[in-house]
Amino acid sequence: MVDIPFERLRLDNGLDLILSPEPSAPVVAVNLWYRVGSRNEQSGRTGFAHLFEHMMFQGSENVPESRHFAEIEKAGGSLNGSTWLDRTNYFETLPADRLELGLWLESDRMGWLLPAMTQEKLDNQRDVVKNERRWRVDNQPYGDWDERIQALMYPADHPYHHSVIGSMEDLDAASLQDVEAFFKTFYAPNNAVLTVCGDFDSGHARDLVERYFGPIPGGPVVPPLPGRAEVPATLGGEVRELAEGDISLPRVYVAYRIPPYGDPAHYPAAVAAHVLAYGRASSLYRGLVRERQVAQDVVAYAFPVVVGASMLVTWATARPGVPVEELEAALHEESGALRDVEERDVERAVHLMETAELSMLQQVGERADQLSMFASLFDDPARVNSELDRIRAVRAEDVRAFAERFITTDNRAVLTYVPGDRS
């Protein structure tokens, strides 16, 4: 049983505050989620949420460029930020007696970033992000799989149609005025969740948060997501794409549209992903890698995204000499076998997820991140204590029913990479 204590408050400016004491170790986590991700980007401005994450480390009115990193590391802490389809987050883990430092630094860039924003900083970070795209996507084997799969799985006007990294053209088009408008719209207290977790006194933490975040004015009402959020529960057919690339071995991706994260029907999909490809006892590893010897690696992952529909993505890389058609047929066959999954395979998957979740919740940083996540996505941070129960409740018949409904020929996108001329 998970029983993480917390209290939830709201400042007058709309900031959602969660305090979760955990005195077993003298450390504290400061975790800030902004309810903005690539889903909020307008057409012609893809990649903007990720670009802005970089801008948040470029200094504010009272914190010169690079000092945020320097101050945290000088105190013996660690920090970072990340951007995803549904959110952008920033986080620090510090010695417990340096809580005030973490709160001050996060509040300063929330309240006083724009006075320090310059065209030079924007141009510099735009180049950094474009290089990141070249390194992670354009010049990486199979590096653009996620943007190809998202484009196959969601219609052009859906918020998940494009990837987080965005396009070179859209990054080039970003202006300083765009940056300022983006900040004023999304980086306001009323669009954020601040979680403090670790060894602290709650009254002292409340006073510090009020002192540093309280004077920041609330922002405007956040606009609705662009485009059309609702999509049919399934694709209604098979869609395919063949990509030639500078690769040595073919790889096949198969994605299925599934219920969104948070929907009760999502949890059998998450368990199914673990049945398929988590560990060497998983069905795809056993069937494709060890027994048939047609693949050298396998992966399955259910995306925890919440707008309209999510997706279960599987992939396998061919062993040398194995025809890609044979690999794809084997991948379909093994995934389809979920319709007859045995209880012992489901129990193994649930135990894997349980072990991973309980291990993560031992860390104050992960605990804080999950509290922020459940508050941001579902307005319900208490789900941190009940999420495992949803996973534990999944039985073999639930996974079989899920497979009958969603692991079908009329609900899949197939992306095949073959060696060829990348140009």
Side-chain angles (χ1 to χ4, degrees), residues 267-280:
Y267 295 91
V271 172
H274 283 70
V275 170
L276 286 172
Y278 280 68
R280 296 194 171 196

Side-chain angles (χ1 to χ4, degrees), residues 53-163:
E53 176 208 322
H54 282 246
M55 297 301 294
M56 287 287 279
F57 289 98
Q58 298 310 299
S60 53
E61 186 171 54
N62 303 304
V63 180
E65 186 177 348
S66 302
R67 187 175 162 193
H68 193 124
F69 270 100
E71 289 291 333
I72 295 294
E73 292 179 349
K74 190 166 65 177
S78 60
L79 75 161
N80 214 331
S82 70
T83 310
W84 179 239
L85 287 76
D86 292 323
R87 57 93 181 120
T88 307
N89 63 353
Y90 303 88
F91 42 90
E92 292 90 5
T93 300
L94 290 153
D97 62 353
R98 307 312 301 273
L99 171 61
E100 184 170 2
L101 173 66
L103 293 174
W104 170 63
L105 288 169
E106 286 298 352
S107 68
D108 199 73
R109 60 183 175 183
M110 177 190 281
W112 293 274
L113 184 81
L114 284 185
M117 190 75 69
T118 66
Q119 185 66 47
E120 182 182 6
K121 289 180 179 178
L122 173 60
D123 292 342
N124 177 273
Q125 290 308 302
R126 191 201 329 262
D127 287 343
V128 170
V129 172
K130 289 169 68 175
N131 281 333
E132 183 178 337
R133 182 187 164 91
R134 293 185 187 99
W135 177 65
R136 286 177 44 198
V137 178
D138 298 332
N139 298 315
Q140 192 71 230
Y142 324 106
D144 58 358
W145 74 268
D146 53 345
E147 60 186 15
R148 289 180 185 270
I149 284 289
Q150 285 178 241
L152 290 171
M153 294 294 292
Y154 299 99
D157 59 350
H158 190 277
Y160 293 157
H161 180 75
H162 66 275
S163 66

